[in-house]
Amino acid sequence: MIGRPSLTGQEPCPSFTSMRGSRRIRADFLTFFEERDHHIVPSAPVIPHGDPTLLFTNAGMNQFKDVFLGTRQPEHVRVADTQKCIRVSGKHNDLEEVGRDSYHHTFFEMLGNWSFGDYFKTEAIEWAWTFLVDIVGLPPDRLWATVFGGDGDLGLPSDEEARGLWHEKSSLPHDRVLRFGRKDNFWEMGPTGPCGPCSEIHIDLGPRTCDNPSHASDGSDCRVNGDCSRFIEIWNLVFIQHNHLADGRLEPLPARHVDTGMGFERLVALDAVLEPMKRGEPYTFSNYNTDLFLPIFEQLSSICGVTYAPDMDPRQLTAFRVIGDHVRALPIAMADGAMPDRKGRGSVLRSLLRRAARFGRQVLEIREPFVHLLVPRVADVFSDVFPEVGQRMEHISLVLEAEEESFNRTIDRGIERFTSLASTVTQDGGKTLDGHESYRLYHQDGFPRDLIDQMAAEHGLRVDEEDWTRAEEEHRKASEGRPEQPRYDQNDLEGLPATTFVYPDEDASWNNMEARIVKLLGTEVLVLDRTPFYAEAGGQVGDAGTIESEGFRFAVTDTVKSGAIVLHFGHLEEGDLSSLPPTVTARVESRRRSEIAAHHTATHLLHWALRRVLGDHATQQGSLVAPDHLRFDFTHPKAMTQGQIEEVERRVNRRIARDVSLSIAWDDLESAKSRGVTALFGEKYDERVRVVSIGDFSSELCGGTHCSRTGQIGYFRIASESAVQVGVRRIIARTRRWAVEDALEDRRRLQRASRALSIGPEDLVARVEALRDQVKELKKKGAEVERLTISEKRREMIESFEDIGGVKVLVDVLEGADRKQLGDLADALRSGKEPVVGVLVGTTGETVAVLAFATKKLAKAGKVDASKIVKAMAEITGARGGGRPDFAQTGWKGREKLDEAVTAARDVLHAQLAG
């Protein structure tokens, strides 16, 4: 931990005049649309649930995607919100570019308003203009609009309707309403599906803000949608009115929608420069010069002793921007359930953290972990709109500190890896660094690309761009995984009615339900008008069972949801799919459902017990509820003790034994939260929520299926407790027959171990401890014998050294020696004062291990290079190998080319010494 250093002599972080400030602007936007009959909805989590195509929520429309696809009916036809978004790839969102300019970010808020089949272009354009000019106060003479200019391939003309509305509803002259093509002004959800023209609002920041050095100083080369920063987009109004078919044709949608998005940070930055803009005075436009970043910069200044200012040293300015941007994205994502990790979105967060830490270390000279110290300021900035950051601040800070400490330990290793890589290239006479190895420094060691380029330039080298790009693509695919491909055409769901799901507590005859087949998708998916099958959600797996009628039987193997439509996956066991019955009977596999319910209710009891035993910080991070087990991830900084595990089991089983009844009721979301009902971080809830209460001690928002009484769980047993990542633990537990079978298997293992040692079970622990002590003693004696053996072997080998120009040289093959023994022997051989170089080959069966070594003084003088010796052997055997000039290794399977490889090693070694 770093304390706050003294800032004697330092100026405070500068303030910038703002007409309103971010909180007022956000509130003004939401109030403006609320007054126009829009329902204000909370932001969806930045971790998209139920959409495998996205790593992060990256637009305001993500949470309404199923509405646009027609798989869910909206609760309100007019909606507005501010949405948390993270973008780390794609146009203008290259991670390495964040911090280089004043207006692109990884995390940002998107203000938006939507119409689902209600108002259209007229109102959207009029209200956008009114808000920007009359409410925000942007000067009308600096505003421009763009509209869709038509596209021959799509068969669409220019959107003259929108162009005419801009002239009618605003003061924009025709020459400031520009037409652009499909690339800039036509929105498409994907290759098929809803789409439509869009109209963007841009603002002219003036010629002084142009950042393109090739442009004329008077700004005459600057253009809307051009290649400089003079004109920036403020708001995009999308008019969704077409459906793009698979054959390329467009058809009108049955209902037309409006989807708008405006960058909040840009709007706040514009508010901060309104007065000088109106007076024609010089100003610095930057999203970072606002109250969304300045409190963070103030704390960062107190840590590093460098005061933030727009005209500060460019390297320091970039460092402040990078850190300020990334430290906002990290807590936002972590509060919604994501954590730094090696794959998927976790690898993105780890890259953000390491990039921020690297700029702090490299540019601001901060040597200790510091990113976690900025989290409280982030929580303050968002306290009124995203309070979950503050609520999880302690856990987020703990994880970030541990991650940054781990990263600091890898920095020196990364520098050593780069030095070795560069040395190998220069000694071979090359000028290009291997792209894969360079990218490894980027994604694994957290070195920013610009730093790698800078270090390469210092060695007279450059990175192989094509190789880097290939490595980047390979890593991206490995991190994201293969997107899930639905086993049906998403367009087939458009216009289908929502499926009515019936809970057991709502209908006594729920598991003998008469339903109507709405649609068959392919040969594997049935859609019903109503169903007793629970669709996978909230960690609970989907139901299985049958859908039957006379002469027809469809076996359901899984149940999932798409929007409000329940999809029953399975296969036909009887009948003909070309002639479906008008009505069917839906039956869930009752034993499987019952066991799932037992594990789900046990999950609630486990959550309750963990908070009682460990503290209120032990909150759910994720779960899986299956027929044979439950998995529960929760926040806790260290491994649970055996006593804590047993106490949790005791508490859960006591509640099971008391046979406590469950009560299930529906409530308004805000009402439930105000009563203290537990809601999970990162979950997106509807306005009406289902509350599952157990007695008077547990109450959670939950849409899953449960027992009616705790006694139906039978028996609860924790199978394991382990780490998932820093600050997150995982419990695997079982109930009912599965828990009983685990207990019986443990007893059988105990009995087998007791019989093997010819003792009673009660004496087993003492005997195992005694055997462990004996093994330790034997290992200690074995290590002493091995040291003596190595010492003797060293003396023996010294006698067989070849002397070349005063250098002791050895090339030897040792039968039965493994890699560790070779390493110990090499260290012993070069531990003396004399210059020594050698190649040791160990063979065990068909496995060959090779170690080339030299005294450091000899390698540093450039007389020998162990890595080149190994490389010569690897080229003959087809193996991979490498290392430093004083220590390198390789290995392979098979002895066929052993003699040839050893001869090559000897030749290279002799050639090096001769040169």
Side-chain angles (χ1 to χ4, degrees):
M1 299 280 288
I2 321 174
R4 177 190 286 260
S6 170
L7 288 181
T8 305
Q10 290 287 337
E11 291 297 322
C13 204
S15 61
F16 297 88
T17 303
S18 175
M19 298 286 289
R20 297 168 183 78
S22 61
R23 295 189 178 190
R24 170 71 183 278
I25 293 170
R26 189 189 291 114
D28 283 350
F29 176 85
L30 297 176
T31 299
F32 179 86
F33 283 99
E34 189 172 35
E35 290 172 348
R36 285 154 180 81
D37 300 323
H38 287 66
H39 183 77
I40 309 303
V41 299
S43 170
V46 79
I47 309 304
H49 295 282
D51 190 344
T53 65
L54 290 174
L55 279 180
F56 297 100
T57 298
N58 60 11
M61 60 76 58
N62 289 162
Q63 67 169 307
F64 305 115
K65 187 174 178 179
D66 49 2
V67 174
F68 294 135
L69 289 172
T71 60
R72 175 170 69 92
Q73 290 299 310
E75 296 178 60
H76 307 277
V77 294
R78 296 184 178 187
V79 168
D81 77 346
T82 180
Q83 172 64 51
K84 298 176 284 188
C85 299
I86 290 181
R87 291 182 183 175
V88 289
S89 62
K91 182 183 178 182
H92 302 314
N93 290 286
D94 185 343
L95 180 58
E96 284 300 312
E97 294 305 313
V98 171
R100 310 295 179 191
D101 63 27
S102 62
Y103 50 88
H104 283 116
H105 303 289
T106 55
F107 166 77
F108 62 96
E109 287 181 65
M110 184 174 285
L111 303 175
N113 58 288
W114 287 267
S115 164
F116 304 120
D118 188 46
Y119 64 83
F120 202 47
K121 294 179 184 179
T122 302
E123 295 86 348
I125 289 173
E126 180 179 5
W127 291 340
W129 181 264
T130 301
F131 178 76
L132 291 177
V133 173
D134 296 348
I135 305 300
V136 179
L138 297 185
D141 59 338
R142 286 181 175 262
L143 296 178
W144 295 64
T146 66
V147 298
F148 178 55
D151 185 271
D153 292 340
L154 293 174
L156 291 177
S158 172
D159 190 355
E160 293 305 306
E161 178 189 6
R163 193 163 188 268
L165 285 168
W166 277 116
H167 186 64
E168 177 186 335
K169 300 297 182 181
S170 75
S171 60
L172 287 179
H174 281 304
D175 61 357
R176 294 220 310 273
V177 182
L178 309 177
R179 301 179 182 89
F180 284 90
R182 182 176 181 178
K183 177 177 175 289
D184 293 301
N185 280 78
F186 193 84
W187 178 86
E188 298 174 270
M189 183 178 289
T192 61
C195 57
C198 62
S199 183
E200 295 177 342
I201 306 169
H202 298 249
I203 189 167
D204 179 2
L205 297 175
R208 291 193 187 97
T209 62
C210 175
D211 59 357
N212 191 326
S214 67
H215 283 192
S217 59
D218 62 359
S220 57
D221 296 325
C222 304
R223 300 283 185 274
V224 171
N225 284 334
D227 55 355
C228 76
S229 57
R230 173 178 174 177
F231 292 90
I232 64 167
E233 176 196 338
I234 307 173
W235 206 340
N236 188 13
L237 317 178
V238 180
F239 309 121
I240 305 174
Q241 60 191 91
H242 307 291
N243 183 28
H244 203 162
L245 303 176
D247 62 7
R249 291 182 299 112
L250 297 179
E251 66 177 11
L253 285 172
R256 301 184 302 179
H257 313 296
V258 170
D259 164 19
T260 85
M262 174 163 52
F264 177 58
E265 288 77 6
R266 292 187 185 184
L267 189 62
V268 177
L270 285 169
D271 180 74
V273 297
L274 271 182
E275 288 307 307
M277 180 188 290
K278 290 177 178 178
R279 291 194 297 265
E281 298 172 355
Y283 58 86
T284 300
F285 173 80
S286 174
N287 294 356
Y288 295 98
N289 297 344
T290 67
D291 61 0
L292 294 171
F293 290 90
L294 292 176
I296 301 169
F297 291 166
E298 182 181 21
Q299 176 68 0
L300 180 57
S301 292
S302 75
I303 293 169
C304 69
V306 177
T307 301
Y308 171 79
D311 57 352
M312 67 195 303
D313 174 81
R315 292 177 71 250
Q316 293 180 335
L317 179 62
T318 297
F320 265 78
R321 288 171 172 177
V322 167
I323 294 167
D325 173 272
H326 294 2
V327 82
R328 289 178 3 125
L330 286 161
I332 286 288
M334 293 169 73
D336 280 349
M339 288 289 153
D341 203 350
R342 290 180 299 173
K343 293 184 177 181
R345 58 178 64 96
S347 71
V348 173
L349 298 188
R350 182 164 284 171
S351 292
L352 293 177
L353 172 61
R354 291 186 168 189
R355 187 166 185 256
R358 195 68 185 83
F359 269 94
R361 186 183 180 96
Q362 177 194 357
V363 180
L364 303 180
E365 299 182 354
I366 306 173
R367 297 300 172 190
E368 299 298 323
F370 70 94
V371 173
H372 68 285
L373 298 176
L374 303 176
V375 174
R377 291 299 178 95
V378 178
D380 289 343
V381 168
F382 294 120
S383 60
D384 66 320
V385 63
F386 307 131
E388 59 271 15
V389 176
Q391 292 163 4
R392 306 207 69 192
M393 182 170 64
E394 183 179 350
H395 175 65
I396 292 169
S397 298
L398 171 73
V399 172
L400 289 177
E401 182 177 17
E403 280 281 333
E404 195 173 354
E405 284 177 346
S406 174
F407 172 55
N408 281 350
R409 290 193 293 270
T410 72
I411 289 175
D412 292 335
R413 182 187 70 199
I415 292 174
E416 183 179 335
R417 179 179 292 141
F418 176 86
T419 303
S420 175
L421 177 63
S423 176
T424 301
V425 174
T426 53
Q427 288 178 16
D428 286 345
K431 292 291 184 182
T432 306
L433 285 176
D434 178 88
H436 275 77
E437 288 298 323
S438 300
Y439 188 73
R440 185 180 176 195
L441 286 166
Y442 173 75
H443 80 80
Q444 183 170 306
D445 296 315
F447 280 46
R449 173 61 195 270
D450 61 337
L451 175 62
I452 297 171
D453 288 336
Q454 176 186 325
M455 293 168 68
E458 290 170 359
H459 288 73
L461 304 171
R462 63 178 181 82
V463 175
D464 185 325
E465 289 295 338
E466 291 185 5
D467 205 27
W468 173 288
T469 302
R470 283 193 295 271
E472 187 174 34
E473 183 65 15
E474 289 168 9
H475 177 68
R476 184 190 64 78
K477 289 179 178 178
S479 297
E480 295 182 5
R482 186 180 298 275
E484 294 181 23
Q485 298 298 321
R487 291 170 278 176
Y488 57 90
D489 187 341
Q490 187 78 28
N491 290 326
D492 290 340
L493 300 180
E494 288 184 28
L496 296 184
T499 309
T500 301
F501 172 67
V502 181
Y503 285 100
D505 55 283
E506 296 174 340
D507 187 344
S509 60
W510 69 275
N511 204 20
N512 198 30
M513 182 180 295
E514 185 175 289
R516 181 176 58 84
I517 295 178
V518 175
K519 194 160 191 174
L520 168 69
L521 304 177
T523 60
E524 298 180 322
V525 186
L526 279 181
V527 179
L528 308 180
D529 64 334
R530 59 199 302 260
T531 184
F533 286 83
Y534 180 83
E536 179 182 351
Q540 180 175 326
V541 299
D543 277 333
T546 60
I547 297 173
E548 304 176 51
S549 185
E550 186 175 350
F552 177 86
R553 179 182 173 88
F554 185 86
V556 178
T557 55
D558 194 14
T559 311
V560 300
K561 235 181 173 187
S562 179
I565 299 171
V566 175
L567 308 175
H568 306 81
F569 287 85
H571 57 273
L572 187 69
E573 291 187 337
E574 181 183 353
D576 184 356
L577 290 176
S578 64
S579 179
L580 297 174
T583 60
V584 291
T585 300
R587 293 192 181 92
V588 174
E589 188 180 326
S590 56
R591 179 176 178 177
R592 183 176 183 275
R593 161 70 80 85
S594 179
E595 289 176 332
I596 292 172
H599 281 105
H600 203 151
T601 303
T603 299
H604 285 223
L605 291 178
L606 173 61
H607 195 186
W608 163 79
L610 284 169
R611 291 169 70 89
R612 294 299 175 275
V613 174
L614 303 179
D616 289 340
H617 68 275
T619 56
Q620 181 173 337
Q621 279 292 111
S623 69
L624 172 69
V625 179
D628 60 344
H629 74 285
L630 68 87
R631 184 185 73 215
F632 190 80
D633 297 345
F634 60 99
T635 52
H636 189 56
K638 56 187 177 182
M640 294 176 65
T641 65
Q642 186 59 34
Q644 289 171 331
I645 292 173
E646 291 173 1
E647 180 59 23
V648 167
E649 278 188 332
R650 243 182 245 113
R651 286 176 180 256
V652 172
N653 280 307
R654 281 178 191 151
R655 298 293 172 165
I656 292 171
R658 291 178 187 175
D659 195 26
V660 182
S661 64
L662 276 74
S663 63
I664 298 175
W666 290 87
D667 197 358
D668 292 330
L669 175 60
E670 294 307 316
S671 171
K673 285 184 177 180
S674 68
R675 292 190 291 109
V677 177
T678 300
L680 302 183
F681 291 107
E683 285 289 333
K684 172 67 177 174
Y685 295 101
D686 293 331
E687 292 177 32
R688 291 286 293 173
V689 291
R690 190 167 176 262
V691 180
V692 176
S693 302
I694 307 175
D696 59 358
F697 59 89
S698 170
S699 188
E700 295 191 20
L701 302 182
C702 181
T705 59
H706 287 272
C707 303
S708 58
R709 306 187 68 85
T710 59
Q712 295 167 358
I713 298 172
Y715 173 46
F716 171 86
R717 194 167 190 266
I718 293 177
S720 66
E721 190 270 352
S722 60
V724 177
Q725 56 193 167
V726 176
V728 180
R729 308 295 300 178
R730 170 171 292 171
I731 280 178
I732 304 291
R734 300 179 190 268
T735 66
R736 292 191 179 178
R737 62 188 175 107
W738 307 100
V740 172
E741 190 54 44
D742 281 355
L744 292 176
E745 179 57 30
D746 281 353
R747 186 167 69 182
R748 288 192 288 268
R749 291 193 190 101
L750 187 65
Q751 290 171 341
R752 287 197 298 270
S754 299
R755 285 196 297 269
L757 296 173
S758 301
I759 58 174
E762 67 277 6
D763 299 321
L764 188 59
V765 173
R767 175 61 63 86
V768 169
E769 289 176 346
L771 289 172
R772 181 192 60 195
D773 292 340
Q774 290 177 28
V775 170
K776 281 184 179 178
E777 187 63 27
L778 289 171
K779 283 184 176 180
K780 183 179 179 182
K781 290 179 179 178
E784 291 174 359
V785 171
E786 188 173 339
R787 279 195 295 273
L788 288 172
T789 302
I790 288 173
S791 180
E792 292 171 0
K793 188 69 176 174
R794 175 180 179 273
R795 285 195 295 271
E796 177 187 321
M797 285 184 160
I798 286 175
E799 296 175 2
S800 62
F801 270 147
E802 181 183 2
D803 191 301
I804 301 178
V807 176
K808 302 296 184 183
V809 180
L810 174 70
V811 178
D812 203 356
V813 178
L814 306 174
E815 288 287 345
D818 60 22
R819 196 177 296 276
K820 179 182 182 303
Q821 291 169 326
L822 294 180
D824 291 341
L825 187 55
D827 288 341
L829 288 170
R830 61 179 185 161
S831 62
K833 295 181 180 180
E834 293 181 302
V836 175
V837 60
V839 179
L840 298 177
V841 181
T843 58
T844 306
E846 289 295 304
T847 301
V848 179
V850 177
L851 194 150
F853 65 94
T855 51
K856 290 193 174 182
K857 188 175 181 180
L858 194 62
K860 192 173 182 180
K863 292 186 177 181
V864 294
D865 188 337
S867 66
K868 290 186 177 180
I869 298 171
V870 161
K871 185 178 179 182
M873 300 179 77
E875 286 176 353
I876 291 171
T877 62
R880 297 185 65 183
R884 306 186 304 268
D886 67 314
F887 190 91
Q889 53 190 336
T890 184
W892 62 87
K893 291 284 188 181
R895 297 184 180 221
E896 296 82 7
K897 296 187 178 182
L898 177 58
D899 291 341
E900 184 183 353
V902 171
T903 299
R906 185 178 284 108
D907 291 344
V908 172
L909 180 52
H910 283 197
Q912 289 181 350
L913 290 172

